[in-house]
Amino acid sequence: MEAHEHSTTSTPHGDTIHLPAPTAWPIVLALGITLVMAGVVTNGGISILGGVLAVTACVGWFRQVLPHEAHEDVPVEEHDVTITSLRTHVTRIEISEEHRAHLPVETYPVLSGIKGGIAGGIAMIFPAVLYGIIGYHSIWYPVNLLGGAGVANWSNPTTADIASFHLMPLIIATIIHIAASVLVGLLYGAMLPMLPRHPILLGGIVAPLLWTGLLHSSLGVINPALDARISWGWFVVSQIAFGLVAGLVVARQGKIRTDQSMPFVLRMGIDASGMHKDEEGDRH
């Protein structure tokens, strides 16, 4: 392949070019300010030295720019610039129809988050019920603890009241539990593709510990009475059970390409006939 050459010659605007004169005073000023700050936490003598350097640098720098900025003339030299290339034609980048990248490239369908949330919600019931049986000989204690806050006439209940069966707290606790499990499951479906390494460890252990710490730090201010009755050790165990099961269920679901132009049915993870486009057919 024959090499093609193209030569250009720079055209100077004169024998010299007018440029600002170089100066070392800015770096001296920076060193002086650094020593002033360092002397605050070490020794006053270092701050004094830094102050002297800073003042000297300011005076020297100002003298180079005031009343007129110092300049110097740099000679201009001519150079023949030769641009060579072995290519005989311009190569264009081939871009596919879906050239805009969506990150992450693959994600889990919405349905996988719902499945993971439901499975995690079922899994966390067992340590919660076990806590009620061991601590209060009642499976209703954790249920009433979750749903009792939403009952209007539920004020200052005794331990015996919380350990007994109540229909309204059970209904409210069920609604809260299902809604929270599905929402967190959807969050897992969106979060796990962003954690490519050890998604089960990060989503099943680290994330529950983070939101448990956030809830523990805020519940004492929002509802001190409820905070005093919660066994946070068992709470962490139930949250980790949710995270591990939900993360495992979501991670085992098949991924789909991240594509905002895909129909919502496909993004839900539902296979529907006629929805998949034949890419080869679309190109023709």
Side-chain angles (χ1 to χ4, degrees):
M1 187 178 294
E2 226 178 71
H4 297 267
E5 296 187 358
H6 178 69
S7 299
T8 60
T9 303
S10 61
T11 303
H13 297 286
D15 297 333
T16 60
I17 185 171
H18 206 50
L19 296 177
T23 177
W25 292 121
I27 192 170
V28 176
L29 176 61
L31 176 61
I33 295 176
T34 302
L35 292 178
V36 170
M37 296 296 106
V40 174
V41 295
T42 55
N43 190 288
I46 298 177
S47 295
I48 295 174
L49 175 61
V52 172
L53 287 177
V55 172
T56 304
C58 290
V59 173
W61 197 358
F62 289 161
R63 292 183 63 182
Q64 285 193 329
V65 297
L66 297 174
H68 302 288
E69 185 176 357
H71 287 81
E72 67 176 9
D73 294 329
V74 179
V76 177
E77 300 178 359
E78 291 188 10
H79 296 281
D80 292 334
V81 180
T82 302
I83 302 174
T84 62
S85 175
L86 298 178
R87 299 180 181 273
T88 58
H89 61 279
V90 177
T91 303
R92 301 185 180 277
I93 301 176
E94 296 182 1
I95 302 176
S96 63
E97 296 178 358
E98 299 177 356
H99 63 278
R100 190 168 185 175
H102 299 273
L103 298 177
V105 179
E106 290 185 334
T107 186
Y108 296 102
V110 179
L111 196 60
S112 65
I114 297 177
K115 292 179 180 178
I118 294 175
I122 295 174
M124 70 182 302
I125 292 176
F126 296 99
V129 171
L130 184 62
Y131 158 66
I133 294 175
I134 294 176
Y136 300 94
H137 306 288
S138 171
I139 63 173
W140 304 114
Y141 187 89
V143 176
N144 292 329
L145 206 60
L146 177 61
V151 180
N153 58 355
W154 190 277
S155 59
N156 298 323
T158 62
T159 302
D161 291 335
I162 302 177
S164 60
F165 172 76
H166 299 278
L167 179 61
M168 188 56 65
L170 174 62
I171 296 175
I172 295 176
T174 303
I175 295 174
I176 295 174
H177 184 66
I178 292 175
S181 298
V182 172
L183 290 176
V184 177
L186 291 173
L187 177 62
Y188 268 51
M191 182 179 65
L192 288 184
M194 303 177 188
L195 306 172
R197 295 183 179 180
H198 310 293
I200 304 302
L201 174 63
L202 295 176
I205 298 178
V206 177
L209 291 178
L210 288 177
W211 74 57
T212 300
L214 178 62
L215 184 62
H216 180 269
S217 61
S218 59
L219 192 60
V221 179
I222 299 173
N223 193 335
L226 181 61
D227 178 67
R229 291 184 175 274
I230 293 178
S231 176
W232 290 103
W234 282 96
F235 187 88
V236 170
V237 171
S238 64
Q239 298 304 311
I240 291 178
F242 174 90
L244 290 175
V245 174
L248 185 63
V249 171
V250 172
R252 287 191 173 183
Q253 302 296 312
K255 290 184 178 181
I256 60 174
R257 289 187 307 166
T258 302
D259 194 345
Q260 296 179 1
S261 62
M262 289 178 61
F264 181 73
V265 175
L266 290 182
R267 282 186 281 148
M268 281 286 294
I270 301 174
D271 292 328
S273 60
M275 287 293 182
H276 296 279
K277 295 182 179 179
D278 186 4
E279 295 183 358
E280 294 295 333
D282 292 340
R283 294 177 183 175
H284 299 289

